Amino acid sequence: MELIELKGIGKTTAVKLNDFGLTDVMDLLFHLPLRYEDRTRITSIEDLVGFSYAQVEGEITKSYVTQGARPILVCEIDDGTAFMQLKFFNFYYSQKIKMKAGMRIRAYGEVKHGMYGMEIIHPEFSLGEKQPALAKALTPVYPKSEGISQKLLQKAAAQAIDLLKTGTFGLKELLPQSWLQENLMPTLEEALAFVHRPPSDADVMLLLNHTHPAQQRLKIEEILAHFLAMHQARTAVQQLGANAVPIDPEVKQQLLDLLPFELTGAQARVVNEIHQDMALNHPMQRLVQGDVGSGKTVVAALAMQGALTHGKQAAMMAPTEILAEQHLITLKGYFPDHTVVFLSGKIKGKTRQETLEKIASTADVIIGTHALFQADVIYRDLALVIIDEQHRFGVHQRLMLKQKGQISPKTVDGTSEENDADLVPHSLIMTATPIPRTLAQIAYANLDVSVIDELPPNRKVINTVLLDNQKMPQLAERIRQACDKGEQAYWVCTLIEESEHMRAKAAQDTFDELKDWFPDLEVGLIHGRLKSDDKQAVMDRFKAGKIQVLVATTVIEVGVDVANASLMVIENAERLGLSQLHQLRGRVGRGNRQSHCVLMYQAPLSEHAQVRLQTMRETNDGFKIAQQDLKLRGPGEILGTRQKGSMEFRFSNPEQDAELFKQAKAMAVELMAKNPEICEQIIQRWQRQAQELAKV
Ligand code: ADP
Ligand code: MG
């Protein structure tokens, strides 16, 4: 039903609502209130203590404008029980004139203790002897955007609810009746009506906490739709074919023999899981989660071997050029008999052309950044795609990849055999642990998950200390000691500036300062403004031990692996989030020497910063850190800009609603088995909502 069919909505308003993501009346129904106002009653002023929001009504005793740079309109009222003040910082003088002594006023707003008793600042109010009737239901307050008034949304939603009740939309109940009864939950229709128009005796606390059964009812269907859609996506990919590339145990052993270490139990297990997937003729969709330093690269290499044994190609994408180049070196070492090529944005012109030709012909292993998946990159026979540090990629990049995955790997001469037309590469996604397992299970419900839950042996726990910025001399001493022992140090500058330019400058300043401190040591500098070749040159020199102290911006955050580095100094660590600190710290402690991490901070610390730094000091465990991070920031923030899109819930919150997520998951499994038709309907109903949201 069109919005303009509602009273009070004309063409212009309809367009505005459209821009806001509300395209028809059904959308209005699913546009739920943020909070509620209780205008069903008048509270006497003497009872106001302890209220946050309240409605009062009384007689104006006087109103005046204060003197001073910023005049304030003060209106004093008396309701027979006590006095209070209403204050307006922005006002028109005409308003003051209307607020005459003796006039009746009803006001609603947030009540505070003021200097002269209770006060409300900028209340909503109505003047006059004849006040409108009190509201019968709690008043919903909707999320809105500019140019759309709250009143308009309230009126439109009220009409939508009336229409819903007359059965206009034929909104079908899709959840099993028995389940609703068992869990004492209302039907969808009842739930929607309730949340838009809660009766005056509704439990406001539950509503405000989003834990009212009516809200739970909406959430569970939303979550259910999520799981069902993820499952559907997964099944869709599974129905595509892939090249079965079983591993040859002998070839696997050859690589294992090359390694200077034994795989940990966890690595061996995960490698087996991957090889089992790749032996099948439908695409692997596996996520490998493993803390920093758990040894994901070698797992990736062993996966690649499956493809290589069968003469096919494997590609690996890393989020930064530095990391991709490092992988290039490592993998060249692992695959001396194969052609390993590199492609990133910095490869241009003739070199790029040559690289593209190789990718279409002789290359076996292709390493790079997201440049690997640009439209003109055509693979000879791609059987495996690996994404490293997946949590670092933006959504659009992941989407691009997804599309690439749909392309037949054999399109090079346009004569792909018919039965190969639907073959897609196996895909392996690797991620450190920026999100806790519980959250991962939701965000990656369409993937099989392997966890590397063991670090290589002989790793010493990184010793983390906190140091006030004032204590630089102590720190200088530490750095010198480490370097005297032949070890190396990172010094990370954390200026949180929008511009790469400013960050580079801050790093440059620190670099100059450190050179003054340590005239006899080799100090290096790396930041995002350096040309790729220069970056690479600096990293090479650091790797070769020619640079002792490397000053860096957070560009080194992911993946960089220099085992000889044993000291990590992070400036102004209080500015960084937990997962970023953990990633940075993970640059040391990669060999078997005792490593140290010094978190410098600027006192005084905020409460959250204190908890963050303390957590870093207390634990090296990525899972624990992710858990703490979740507590401090909430899932929205954690999945934040980087992960947005993988989990867009309008009503539900993976942490707060953990129990509902569990229930929904079980329900999804049951429904898929018993009633696939309903599953489709649930997905459609909510996908529409999700798409609308994506426009906002
Ligand atoms: P991640 O990518 O998981 O952070 P890397 O793959 O970079 O970790 O591995 C970290 C370091 O540990 C590397 O230097 C690697 O060679 C080494 N390593 C990996 N697996 C083992 C193992 N089983 N035993 C000893 N060292 C290992
Ligand atoms: Mg890595």
Side-chain angles (χ1 to χ4, degrees):
M1 186 174 173
E2 302 279 327
L3 287 170
I4 35 176
E5 292 176 55
L6 296 180
K7 264 181 260 152
I9 298 186
K11 267 203 181 127
T12 346
T13 317
V15 169
K16 276 186 197 157
L17 289 169
N18 235 302
D19 290 344
F20 185 48
L22 303 170
T23 52
D24 63 16
V25 180
M26 187 68 101
D27 287 338
L28 273 178
L29 285 177
F30 283 90
H31 188 63
L32 300 193
L34 276 178
R35 57 187 179 85
Y36 298 90
E37 293 176 349
D38 186 356
R39 298 179 190 230
T40 62
R41 69 196 97 202
I42 305 277
T43 309
S44 34
I45 297 176
E46 68 172 356
D47 290 339
L48 278 182
V49 195
F51 265 84
S52 50
Y53 283 85
Q55 180 162 256
V56 296
E57 189 173 320
E59 192 171 287
I60 299 178
T61 50
K62 65 175 164 182
S63 72
Y64 54 91
V65 174
T66 59
Q67 304 294 315
R70 227 187 132 196
I72 302 168
L73 169 61
V74 181
C75 172
E76 292 192 0
I77 66 171
D78 178 0
D79 72 350
T81 67
F83 285 95
M84 77 178 293
Q85 293 190 331
L86 308 176
K87 284 185 179 166
F88 301 86
F89 294 99
N90 302 313
F91 61 93
Y92 295 107
Y93 277 83
S94 57
Q95 210 171 327
K96 149 138 204 328
I97 294 163
K98 280 193 203 142
M99 290 187 174
K100 280 197 290 268
M103 183 71 110
R104 231 181 148 62
I105 187 167
R106 185 186 286 175
Y108 178 91
E110 191 176 5
V111 180
K112 295 207 165 113
H113 284 275
M115 237 168 6
Y116 308 100
M118 294 310 224
E119 62 181 35
I120 302 179
I121 294 172
H122 283 292
E124 286 175 41
F125 65 92
S126 62
L127 283 165
E129 232 20 73
K130 252 191 103 179
Q131 291 289 342
L134 289 173
K136 288 203 182 61
L138 297 178
T139 310
V141 180
Y142 294 97
K144 66 183 201 70
S145 77
E146 230 169 288
I148 305 175
S149 78
Q150 196 54 247
K151 281 242 158 62
L152 178 104
L153 282 173
Q154 286 166 349
K155 280 192 186 147
Q159 292 177 63
I161 288 296
D162 289 339
L163 288 167
L164 173 72
K165 286 188 167 165
T166 59
T168 308
F169 305 110
L171 201 58
K172 213 170 128 192
E173 179 56 52
L174 297 174
L175 298 195
Q177 202 58 45
S178 56
W179 187 88
L180 291 176
Q181 274 164 6
E182 220 169 276
N183 290 278
L184 303 174
M185 286 213 189
T187 61
L188 179 64
E189 187 178 314
E190 287 163 351
L192 282 172
F194 192 97
V195 295
H196 282 286
R197 194 184 285 165
S200 54
D201 63 351
D203 191 328
V204 185
M205 277 326 281
L206 286 185
L207 277 171
L208 292 179
N209 289 332
H210 299 279
T211 49
H212 193 281
Q215 292 162 316
Q216 307 261 60
R217 166 64 188 77
L218 294 171
K219 288 180 188 183
I220 195 141
E221 193 171 316
E222 174 180 48
I223 304 168
L224 188 60
H226 167 82
F227 282 126
L228 292 173
M230 294 290 254
H231 181 84
Q232 199 181 49
R234 184 185 160 76
T235 318
V237 178
Q238 249 164 3
Q239 278 163 359
L240 300 171
N243 282 300
V245 283
I247 189 75
D248 174 344
E250 257 175 54
V251 179
K252 178 176 173 187
Q253 194 54 46
Q254 281 167 16
L255 177 50
L256 293 179
D257 289 344
L258 261 182
L259 300 176
F261 49 73
E262 300 256 312
L263 292 188
T264 62
Q267 282 170 318
R269 170 172 47 78
V270 172
V271 168
N272 279 338
E273 286 166 359
I274 293 170
H275 283 157
Q276 275 168 23
D277 286 356
M278 291 175 66
L280 303 177
N281 58 7
H282 58 81
M284 164 166 76
Q285 304 177 69
R286 186 167 288 278
L287 175 85
V288 171
Q289 251 196 315
D291 208 352
V292 243
S294 61
K296 292 185 287 294
T297 318
V298 68
V299 169
L302 283 155
M304 288 181 162
Q305 242 190 343
L308 301 184
T309 333
H310 296 267
K312 300 190 183 297
Q313 296 176 303
M316 171 140 144
M317 175 168 87
T320 66
E321 215 151 62
I322 295 183
L323 181 53
E325 298 205 353
Q326 183 181 285
H327 284 330
L328 175 71
I329 297 168
T330 312
L331 291 166
K332 271 186 173 164
Y334 288 161
F335 300 119
D337 303 330
H338 286 284
T339 310
V340 184
V341 303
F342 179 85
L343 184 67
S344 78
K346 79 164 188 200
I347 310 262
K348 295 207 171 85
K350 198 160 156 262
T351 328
R352 181 163 198 276
Q353 213 43 52
E354 284 166 11
T355 309
L356 290 191
E357 274 161 29
K358 277 193 200 156
I359 294 178
S361 57
T362 52
D364 300 312
V365 175
I366 303 102
I367 314 287
T369 58
H370 56 271
L372 287 187
F373 296 98
Q374 274 152 6
D376 61 339
V377 183
I378 294 170
Y379 292 84
R380 164 173 53 83
D381 195 355
L382 188 60
L384 171 67
V385 172
I386 301 177
I387 306 172
D388 193 20
E389 308 282 359
Q390 175 267 356
H391 56 284
R392 300 283 313 196
F393 285 100
V395 190
H396 61 286
Q397 283 161 345
R398 286 209 301 274
L399 276 179
M400 209 164 65
L401 259 178
K402 227 179 171 177
Q403 283 153 10
K404 200 79 190 175
Q406 309 301 327
I407 295 174
S408 162
K410 281 197 175 176
T411 47
V412 65
D413 54 2
T415 57
S416 50
E417 294 156 42
E418 229 166 68
N419 56 353
D420 272 357
D422 275 341
L423 291 188
V424 298
H426 294 283
S427 70
L428 181 64
I429 294 165
M430 304 205 298
T431 169
T433 340
I435 60 173
R437 233 173 284 200
T438 44
L439 209 50
Q441 279 169 358
I442 298 163
Y444 306 123
N446 59 334
L447 302 172
D448 295 305
V449 179
S450 297
V451 184
I452 308 182
D453 48 6
E454 182 185 352
L455 290 181
N458 302 325
R459 286 278 165 82
K460 297 211 172 62
V461 172
I462 303 167
N463 169 36
T464 301
V465 294
L466 309 182
L467 200 65
D468 193 304
N469 273 349
Q470 308 291 325
K471 308 213 168 119
M472 285 286 188
Q474 273 184 29
L475 179 60
E477 187 49 37
R478 245 179 200 245
I479 292 178
R480 178 164 299 281
Q481 276 172 9
C483 294
D484 283 349
K485 280 191 285 180
E487 298 172 12
Q488 294 165 279
Y490 292 96
W491 182 297
V492 180
C493 304
T494 58
L495 190 71
I496 313 210
E497 277 290 340
E498 278 303 306
S499 90
E500 187 74 45
H501 173 75
M502 289 300 289
R503 286 197 294 260
K505 183 173 177 315
Q508 179 75 44
D509 291 347
T510 307
F511 170 70
D512 293 338
E513 203 174 315
L514 289 187
K515 270 202 314 201
D516 286 346
W517 282 8
F518 307 114
D520 51 328
L521 294 181
E522 197 58 42
V523 183
L525 172 65
I526 191 163
H527 56 68
R529 295 267 291 181
L530 289 185
K531 287 216 189 73
S532 296
D533 288 345
D534 296 339
K535 263 191 250 173
Q536 190 51 37
V538 174
M539 278 321 293
D540 287 348
R541 286 178 58 223
F542 189 57
K543 260 202 142 146
K546 292 193 184 117
I547 290 175
Q548 286 154 301
V549 182
L550 181 63
V551 177
T553 55
T554 47
V555 291
I556 59 150
E557 178 182 337
V558 276
V560 172
D561 182 41
V562 178
N564 192 49
S566 66
L567 178 60
M568 164 65 63
V569 178
I570 304 175
E571 258 184 26
N572 293 104
E574 79 277 3
R575 291 169 175 169
L576 300 185
L578 269 174
S579 68
Q580 207 176 3
L581 286 171
H582 181 61
Q583 286 285 329
L584 279 169
R585 179 172 61 183
R587 297 312 110 218
V588 297
R590 310 199 127 229
N592 47 16
R593 46 175 103 231
Q594 177 62 54
S595 294
H596 302 270
C597 173
V598 181
L599 302 176
M600 308 283 295
Y601 65 89
Q602 181 67 48
L605 289 174
S606 73
E607 208 175 302
H608 271 196
Q610 253 174 47
V611 179
R612 283 200 299 271
L613 296 185
Q614 206 57 34
T615 307
M616 286 298 292
R617 219 176 59 126
E618 281 162 12
T619 182
N620 274 276
D621 181 336
F623 283 118
K624 281 193 191 141
I625 289 176
Q627 208 72 50
Q628 182 63 260
D629 206 19
L630 179 66
K631 244 196 237 154
L632 290 177
R633 295 195 297 158
E637 279 286 304
I638 287 195
L639 291 166
T641 47
R642 285 181 189 153
Q643 294 286 96
K644 224 170 146 201
S646 61
M647 274 217 289
E648 266 168 4
F649 293 108
R650 308 184 67 178
F651 311 142
S652 321
N653 171 329
E655 192 186 24
Q656 194 193 21
D657 303 319
E659 196 48 46
L660 284 179
F661 274 86
K662 249 190 239 158
Q663 286 184 0
K665 196 160 187 182
M667 207 197 295
V669 173
E670 201 181 308
L671 274 184
M672 283 183 302
K674 286 196 191 146
N675 208 336
E677 241 163 78
I678 293 277
C679 296
E680 188 53 43
Q681 290 175 31
I682 295 177
I683 294 172
Q684 296 233 326
R685 179 184 280 168
W686 290 85
Q687 227 163 31
R688 204 180 100 88
Q689 298 305 322
Q691 277 160 7
E692 291 312 318
L693 181 76
K695 284 199 226 146
V696 177

